[in-house]
Amino acid sequence: MTTAVRPRPGRIARLLDGGWSTGLFVLGALWDVLCVMNVPGAAVFRADAERVASITDVGTLLALAALLAWTTVYVRARAPQVVLIAGAVLMAIGVSYLLALVGVFHALMRWPKRTGWIAGVTAAGVAAFVLREVLTDWGAALPWLFGARTSDPGAVGWTVAPWLLALVSLAALAGLVALQRSRRTADAHRARAEREHRRAETLDEQLARQAERERIARDLHDGLGHRLASAALSASAFEAQVSANPTIDPSLGEWARAVREQTRAALDDVRGVVGGLRSEGRSPAPASLRLVGQLLGELRAAGHRIDAFVMVEGSDRVGTTLDAAAYRILQESLTNAIKHAPGAPVSVTLDASPERGVRIRVENPLTVGGAGVPGGGHGIIGIRERAESEGGTAWIGAHEGRFIVDVDLPWVDRA
């Protein structure tokens, strides 16, 4: 299971978030410093015409407490419980419930499954706050701000106003929570749609690649497979004719048998490649340094002159990919030498060990003409690509009348 990792916000996003936090701190702290006058004993209201209120020492301490409490807005997204605690303290003191609502908003976004009891506790706390303002001496600042010289608990206006303010605040909180949750839901749906779209594109690409593999496999089976099968049958028929006619040199029969075996081996390789193309569960014919002796023996049985020096150590430790790549490089190098220098001696050096790595060197003399076998240089390209894929190097070219393939591969242990 893959866990999605949320990307870290960029510098601009962090600056914007810090700007929102600072703005929220400034506005909220100013509001609560003003609301400190709601607490009995925090302010003295003069009843004269100048309508002057003086802050007491208690009010000063409460204002400092409000400023300190509002600093928690900088961690509201990471730790909403800290904001809730600070807001609950201000509510209990009687300053305001604004900071508590900020904490409730982020708590509802963090823990959506606890919406019911968070909303219930919040409504109960705000109702208790309003009841205290309506029925006690708390809330004296509101009438004073609007021109009344005293807060008359019996006045209908000052009784209804706190309830209206509470209802508007709770409604605004509910609307913001619903809006933010709808945005998150839309973002989740959009992300899911994008994942499904990418998955569909991946499936389309896989189907296209599979169709192309099927086409290549069909062409190999119908074209090259048919020709190799015909060549094997012709070699078998020639071998039978040599055996039936004692006047024919028996070495020709040996040659025909070697051609037949090599052709059938090539046909098996083609069938393995076709199977690998059609189904990833099947793999081509095995390729390993352990089969080098068999490869050289088959070529010698076919009449090719091969001078080989082979030293392989740690064959049980070599990595699977390196094992197959080294064998295919040697096989393709020998094929290239036999094709372009038929009848000429081929020198093979294979040295493989965990300490020295893998060294493959195949040499053959340059000849005029060749076997007339068509080629487009794909074998040499394949040798270079295999060597590079294993982190090795390949030097291929003519030098002092000889064509040389010299490949060095770093040793890789089996996983």
Side-chain angles (χ1 to χ4, degrees):
M1 180 177 179
T2 303
T3 303
V5 179
R6 181 181 297 179
R8 296 180 62 184
R11 179 177 299 178
I12 295 179
R14 291 196 298 269
L15 289 175
L16 290 176
D17 184 68
W20 280 108
S21 298
T22 302
L24 188 61
F25 168 77
V26 171
L27 294 177
L30 288 177
W31 172 258
D32 274 6
V33 167
L34 185 62
C35 290
V36 163
M37 293 186 296
N38 279 329
V39 181
V44 176
F45 301 98
R46 294 172 56 181
D48 53 18
E50 297 180 0
R51 296 182 61 252
V52 177
S54 58
I55 304 297
T56 64
D57 294 339
V58 174
T60 303
L61 291 177
L62 291 177
L64 293 177
L67 290 174
L68 181 62
W70 273 95
T71 58
T72 60
V73 297
Y74 288 96
V75 295
R76 65 190 187 281
R78 296 190 300 272
Q81 62 272 21
V82 176
V83 185
L84 282 173
I85 294 173
V89 171
L90 293 183
M91 284 183 64
I93 295 174
V95 177
S96 80
Y97 47 79
L98 180 60
L99 182 59
L101 294 184
V102 174
V104 168
F105 171 80
H106 289 280
L108 290 173
M109 299 310 301
R110 173 69 69 85
W111 303 295
K113 294 182 179 180
R114 303 177 183 177
T115 299
W117 72 267
I118 292 177
V121 171
T122 302
V126 173
F129 185 91
V130 174
L131 283 174
R132 183 174 59 182
E133 283 195 338
V134 171
L135 301 177
T136 66
D137 292 336
W138 266 264
L142 185 62
W144 181 81
L145 287 174
F146 283 90
R149 297 187 178 183
T150 59
S151 57
D152 182 7
V156 177
W158 305 128
T159 302
V160 174
W163 289 107
L164 289 177
L165 183 61
L167 290 175
V168 171
S169 300
L170 293 176
L173 173 64
L176 289 175
V177 171
L179 177 62
Q180 187 65 16
R181 286 183 175 178
S182 65
R183 286 181 177 177
R184 288 191 176 183
T185 302
D187 292 340
H189 288 317
R190 188 180 302 108
R192 188 180 300 111
E194 291 177 355
R195 288 196 301 269
E196 294 297 331
H197 180 67
R198 289 195 297 269
R199 183 180 301 174
E201 290 181 346
T202 302
L203 290 176
D204 290 341
E205 292 176 359
Q206 291 177 352
L207 290 175
R209 287 196 297 268
Q210 183 61 32
E212 182 64 17
R213 287 196 295 266
E214 289 285 349
R215 184 190 66 79
I216 296 174
R218 186 170 56 252
D219 292 343
L220 283 174
H221 181 271
D222 297 341
L224 184 57
H226 173 72
R227 293 181 182 275
L228 289 174
S230 298
L233 290 175
S234 299
S236 298
F238 184 73
E239 181 184 1
Q241 290 180 2
V242 171
S243 300
N245 192 345
T247 60
I248 301 178
D249 187 356
S251 62
L252 294 178
E254 296 294 332
W255 175 82
R257 184 180 301 107
V259 171
R260 174 175 55 82
E261 292 176 354
Q262 289 295 311
T263 304
R264 287 183 176 176
L267 184 59
D268 290 339
D269 288 343
V270 170
R271 287 171 178 169
V273 172
V274 169
L277 287 171
R278 286 178 172 170
S279 174
E280 294 182 358
R282 297 178 56 189
S283 58
S288 172
L289 292 175
R290 300 180 182 87
L291 303 177
V292 169
Q294 178 182 344
L295 173 63
L296 297 176
E298 291 174 351
L299 292 176
R300 285 168 176 162
H304 301 292
R305 299 163 58 187
I306 307 294
D307 296 328
F309 173 80
V310 179
M311 180 181 294
V312 179
E313 300 176 6
S315 58
D316 57 335
R317 292 176 46 188
V318 64
T320 304
T321 305
L322 174 62
D323 195 19
Y327 178 86
R328 292 303 185 192
I329 289 174
L330 177 60
Q331 185 183 45
E332 184 59 39
S333 300
L334 289 170
T335 301
N336 183 73
I338 293 170
K339 180 172 65 176
H340 294 288
V346 179
S347 175
V348 177
T349 301
L350 172 61
D351 183 15
S353 73
E355 293 77 17
R356 298 184 298 274
V358 180
R359 174 77 179 278
I360 302 171
R361 184 180 178 92
V362 178
E363 300 182 26
N364 63 271
L366 294 174
T367 60
V368 179
V373 181
H378 300 294
I380 293 177
I381 295 175
I383 292 173
R384 294 186 189 276
E385 290 179 349
R386 287 184 186 273
E388 292 175 358
S389 66
E390 295 299 320
T393 59
W395 190 93
I396 304 174
H399 179 68
E400 296 182 353
R402 300 180 66 82
F403 190 85
I404 302 174
V405 176
D406 196 347
V407 177
D408 280 305
L409 302 175
W411 184 271
V412 177
D413 282 324
R414 188 184 301 272

